[in-house]
Amino acid sequence: MFTVSLGDDGAELRPLEPWQAEEFLAHMDRARALVDPWIPFAAAATDLTSARALLQRYADKQAADTGRLYGIWLDGTLVGGVLFRIFEAGTGNCEIGCWLEAAAEGRGLVTRASRKLIDWAIGVRGMHRVEWIASSANTRSVAVAARLGMTREGVLREAYPYRGKRHDHEIWAVLASEWRTAQG
């Protein structure tokens, strides 16, 4: 297992794996109210069996090189995560996403963790395009995409039906050449 430091505050990025289902479920229970309005991630982990199954799906995606899942730990507690929801090495395109529990907000954890994922995707795996897709109403997620220096490419109006409502999806992206230039 590996751990990547996210800064001087002790925050860490680590793989999130099926054997951590109990810890993940406890975290999802704390994060559910904040996550559930936007994505079905929290609804997919409501008990130990479903939490383990969700983590196993991402372990299988990692084994197939089509996705990855990482947790964000702060002071030894799982408080959020970032993921490659889609990872298409053949085309050089991927999509990252995130979630966080309320107690960890306002510390820049998602932005810092997302930078690590983008650095790895572009610098190590040679990805050409990294996307970020978020509900237009999820202003915190949209703000992270902007902080990462991504370009807002457009809005898919009422494209995502969720919880009885159709959400507009904003598409943000950064190209490898743009990322390298911005990182110096």
Side-chain angles (χ1 to χ4, degrees):
M1 174 145 113
F2 74 87
T3 299
V4 175
S5 172
L6 293 177
D8 295 337
D9 59 359
E12 299 175 331
L13 185 66
R14 303 182 211 158
L16 193 49
E17 300 173 341
W19 63 270
Q20 297 163 303
E22 191 171 325
E23 182 178 16
F24 177 67
L25 178 60
H27 158 62
M28 274 294 111
D29 288 342
R30 293 188 306 270
R32 198 169 313 283
L34 193 61
V35 173
D36 200 52
W38 310 115
I39 57 174
F41 203 70
T46 57
D47 57 28
L48 194 53
T49 300
S50 59
R52 186 174 291 112
L54 188 150
L55 296 177
Q56 186 62 55
R57 278 194 302 276
Y58 273 90
D60 294 344
K61 284 180 114 179
Q62 181 165 337
D65 199 27
T66 60
R68 292 171 187 265
L69 182 64
Y70 300 95
I72 299 170
W73 276 262
L74 185 62
D75 300 324
T77 300
L78 178 62
V79 296
V82 289
L83 59 100
F84 288 108
R85 194 181 76 78
I86 297 168
F87 195 87
E88 298 173 344
T91 63
N93 298 323
C94 62
E95 178 194 338
I96 62 174
C98 67
W99 76 94
L100 197 64
E101 63 184 64
E105 289 184 317
R107 301 170 190 242
L109 295 171
V110 166
T111 303
R112 289 185 272 159
S114 296
R115 280 192 180 110
K116 297 288 186 186
L117 261 62
I118 296 170
D119 282 344
W120 180 83
I122 291 171
V124 175
R125 293 303 307 278
M127 298 304 273
H128 175 75
R129 176 185 170 85
V130 179
E131 294 182 349
W132 186 281
I133 300 174
S135 169
S136 294
N138 188 349
T139 57
R140 295 182 78 86
S141 184
V142 169
V144 172
R147 276 194 300 277
L148 291 168
M150 294 182 153
T151 299
R152 183 176 182 252
E153 295 183 333
V155 176
L156 301 175
R157 298 176 306 136
E158 297 184 6
Y160 181 62
Y162 184 64
R163 300 275 185 218
K165 180 180 177 190
R166 296 196 72 87
H167 295 260
D168 291 352
H169 262 179
E170 293 195 17
I171 310 298
W172 292 72
V174 64
L175 303 179
S177 58
E178 297 166 338
W179 186 256
R180 286 187 201 102
T181 298
Q183 303 311 302

